[in-house]
Amino acid sequence: DGPHRYKVNDPAIYEFIDTFTGPIFKIIFLYKVLRTDPLLVPPEVREVCEGRCSVMSNGADEFEMVALGMDKGHGVRYLKERTGAKLLICVGDYDGDISMLRAADIGYAVDNASDYVKREADRVTVHARDGVIRHILQDIEEEIRSEK
């Protein structure tokens, strides 16, 4: 197995997925795995989940499974519709946030996000530890002032 072969260390994950028969709303797995890209869910996990649930990475050592068709994008679209909000601004860092960034009117990736997530965002802001919300608010305020 070369450096591009991913293996989840605990076979109990596969046993759980194979034998679980109830509806999946959300399940979070914390794991340690050898992989070259921390954003990728191991292919064998995606394969086992295919057609049963959506699976996405939300950190270097976790992934989550949610019901098919349910993701952060679905959630923020629902909130925007229910609240009547005129502008939806979202910020993300891992591939679990991509559907939300796509659904947003303005989607921000933090500077420490992967290049893949940054390409999906409309804008890139500061590192997650450097006051992201403050920077985004300043960015939006400047944009509003320049439109006047």
Side-chain angles (χ1 to χ4, degrees), residues 12 16 30 41 58 63 70 79 83 86 92 117 126 133 145:
F16 173 80
L30 301 176
V41 172
N58 279 324
F63 65 89
M70 301 309 255
L79 285 173
T83 63
K86 295 186 184 344
V117 174
V126 297
I133 300 302
R145 274 191 236 118

Side-chain angles (χ1 to χ4, degrees), residues 6 12 18 29 49 52 56 62 90 93 100 127 131-132 134:
Y6 309 127
D18 282 338
F29 287 94
C49 293
R52 299 183 63 202
M56 65 201 80
E62 83 176 56
C90 297
D93 57 355
M100 176 181 67
H127 191 285
V132 171
R134 178 173 44 88

Side-chain angles (χ1 to χ4, degrees), residues 5-48:
R5 175 77 179 135
Y6 309 127
K7 285 189 176 179
V8 174
N9 296 333
D10 188 353
I13 291 174
Y14 303 110
E15 182 180 336
F16 173 80
I17 295 168
D18 282 338
T19 59
F20 186 79
T21 59
I24 294 176
F25 297 104
K26 183 172 187 170
I27 301 169
I28 297 176
F29 287 94
L30 301 176
Y31 65 105
K32 297 292 180 199
V33 65
L34 299 172
R35 56 197 175 144
T36 57
D37 185 344
L39 297 179
L40 294 176
V41 172
E44 59 269 24
V45 173
R46 286 197 189 277
E47 183 180 314
V48 170

Side-chain angles (χ1 to χ4, degrees), residues 104-118:
D105 296 307
I106 304 172
Y108 282 87
V110 292
D111 188 54
N112 55 299
S114 75
D115 290 339
Y116 178 70
V117 174
K118 289 177 184 177

Side-chain angles (χ1 to χ4, degrees), residues 5-6 22 44 55 73-74 81-82 86 89 115 125 142:
R5 175 77 179 135
Y6 309 127
E44 59 269 24
V55 61
H74 178 84
E81 181 181 304
R82 296 289 292 170
K86 295 186 184 344
I89 301 170
D115 290 339
T125 189
E142 287 175 20

